[in-house]
Amino acid sequence: MHLIFSLVILIQVPLFAIGTQFLTLPSNAEELAVGSHPTAGRFFSVNPAVFSAPKDHPKLSLCRGNWFGDVITTNLAYNQNINKRTLHVQLRYSGLTGIELRDYRPSDEALAYFSSFGVSGILGVSFETEQSKYGISVDIIKMGIYNESAQGMGFNAGYLYRFPNKISLGFSLLNVGKMSALRSNTPRLPTRVFAGLAKELNYEEYNNTLHLSSEWNEISRTFKLRIGNVFNWRKLLLMSGASVANKIYTASTGIGLQFGQYHISYGIRFGSQDIGLPQTITLHLQLP
């Protein structure tokens, strides 16, 4: 009985450390460095309307990083323009390994080791009119820990409007759906609501975009405010961001370099609670 009780305690802690909140982790180095904004395009994960790709050249994104608590993150994304619509396919994984199984008796060695994981596959499409962009996507989700697992599905939708003065207004609603039950509870999806503004400043040799957005997360019951900036000069990309929620502050930065059809980016985030340094490196490829 003591062993069973210990199992329940040990399982709950790492499960909720990853849990369905792995769906809220940044999808690439740019998003980690700038923040999650519904006005940021390409492979940013929080607005299906802003997925984009050149007309004749699909885009592939490969990402590897680490989050708080030694959680490993991996993302693979693909965008392709088809008849003025952008098809988006994404696979993402977050995992924590080496979790120790122990009972009530103190010992030098654990009884066993197990892992916790979350994996999802996204299929979406975006399309645009003269000034507006729309997008929807479906997320197939699976998560597990020890000998338990749960499956589910989430729905995402987004909208972006571009004003003539290079100001953009974006909205999105993410993770509306349901999960199946684990042995003792049913995981809840972290439904998120985003609203944001962006302003572009274009000059002959450089481009600068400022993002400002807010997010509501149903599970954490918090509002988060974010500000981010992307500075692009020739083949160099400089990124920075900051956020605040419930007196928790974060700052982030990153750099990107363009080499022909290859673009490599690195992002890192610093937090006021000093519990780790999430870092991510991403390679974007423009396919023939």
Side-chain angles (χ1 to χ4, degrees):
M1 184 64 184
H2 291 288
L3 177 58
I4 295 175
F5 179 77
S6 298
L7 260 176
V8 172
I9 297 298
L10 286 168
I11 285 176
Q12 285 181 342
V13 173
L15 178 59
F16 289 110
I18 295 180
T20 55
Q21 288 282 25
F22 84 93
L23 298 170
T24 69
L25 302 186
S27 61
N28 53 51
E30 290 92 338
E31 189 173 345
L32 179 65
V34 180
S36 300
H37 300 280
T39 50
R42 291 207 304 178
F43 290 98
F44 278 65
S45 65
V46 298
N47 189 349
V50 297
F51 297 136
S52 63
K55 182 178 179 181
D56 299 317
H57 299 281
K59 287 273 191 175
L60 180 67
S61 175
L62 307 169
C63 179
R64 177 76 170 180
N66 64 277
W67 193 246
F68 297 119
D70 296 325
V71 173
I72 300 299
T73 61
T74 303
N75 286 274
L76 173 65
Y78 175 83
N79 287 355
Q80 183 174 358
N81 188 294
I82 303 175
N83 295 327
K84 297 183 180 181
R85 292 173 173 82
T86 300
L87 172 68
H88 175 77
V89 180
Q90 181 179 352
L91 297 173
R92 55 184 170 184
Y93 166 86
S94 298
L96 179 63
T97 60
I99 304 172
E100 295 183 351
L101 172 62
R102 294 179 180 270
D103 61 13
Y104 66 97
R105 295 166 297 184
S107 62
D108 293 333
E109 299 294 332
L111 298 175
Y113 295 89
F114 57 95
S115 62
S116 175
F117 73 91
V119 62
S120 73
I122 301 174
L123 179 63
V125 62
S126 65
F127 55 95
E128 60 183 299
T129 59
E130 185 175 346
Q131 291 180 299
S132 298
K133 299 188 72 174
Y134 308 84
I136 57 173
S137 64
V138 177
D139 200 343
I140 306 300
I141 308 154
K142 182 171 184 178
M143 52 179 290
I145 184 170
Y146 195 55
N147 59 354
E148 297 187 50
S149 64
Q151 299 80 36
M153 179 180 293
F155 176 78
N156 314 301
Y159 172 76
L160 182 78
Y161 184 83
R162 294 170 293 195
F163 295 93
N165 56 356
K166 298 187 183 297
I167 292 179
S168 299
L169 176 64
F171 302 95
S172 61
L173 175 64
L174 308 181
N175 305 323
V176 178
K178 188 176 181 181
M179 296 288 293
S180 64
L182 292 167
R183 182 180 302 172
S184 56
N185 57 58
T186 301
R188 293 170 55 200
L189 290 179
T191 300
R192 310 167 76 191
V193 180
F194 284 87
L197 286 168
K199 171 63 177 178
E200 288 186 41
L201 299 171
N202 296 320
Y203 296 90
E204 290 185 1
E205 294 189 350
Y206 70 86
N207 171 275
N208 193 87
T209 305
L210 178 66
H211 299 275
L212 178 65
S213 65
S214 64
E215 174 196 353
W216 165 254
N217 187 311
E218 184 182 15
I219 289 184
S220 60
R221 297 286 178 181
T222 58
F223 274 106
K224 180 175 287 189
L225 297 177
R226 295 187 178 92
I227 185 170
N229 192 77
V230 181
F231 177 83
N232 188 201
W233 177 69
R234 295 184 179 179
K235 300 181 182 298
L236 177 65
L237 192 70
L238 298 177
M239 302 166 287
S240 60
S243 70
V244 58
N246 283 352
K247 298 182 179 180
I248 298 175
Y249 304 92
T250 68
S252 52
T253 187
I255 187 171
L257 293 171
Q258 182 81 36
F259 302 99
Q261 63 185 16
Y262 304 99
H263 182 101
I264 188 167
S265 297
Y266 169 80
I268 185 170
R269 180 172 295 180
F270 309 90
S272 61
Q273 292 187 313
D274 194 25
I275 57 175
L277 295 174
Q279 303 176 66
T280 300
I281 187 167
T282 300
L283 176 63
H284 300 296
L285 305 173
Q286 181 171 294
L287 304 179

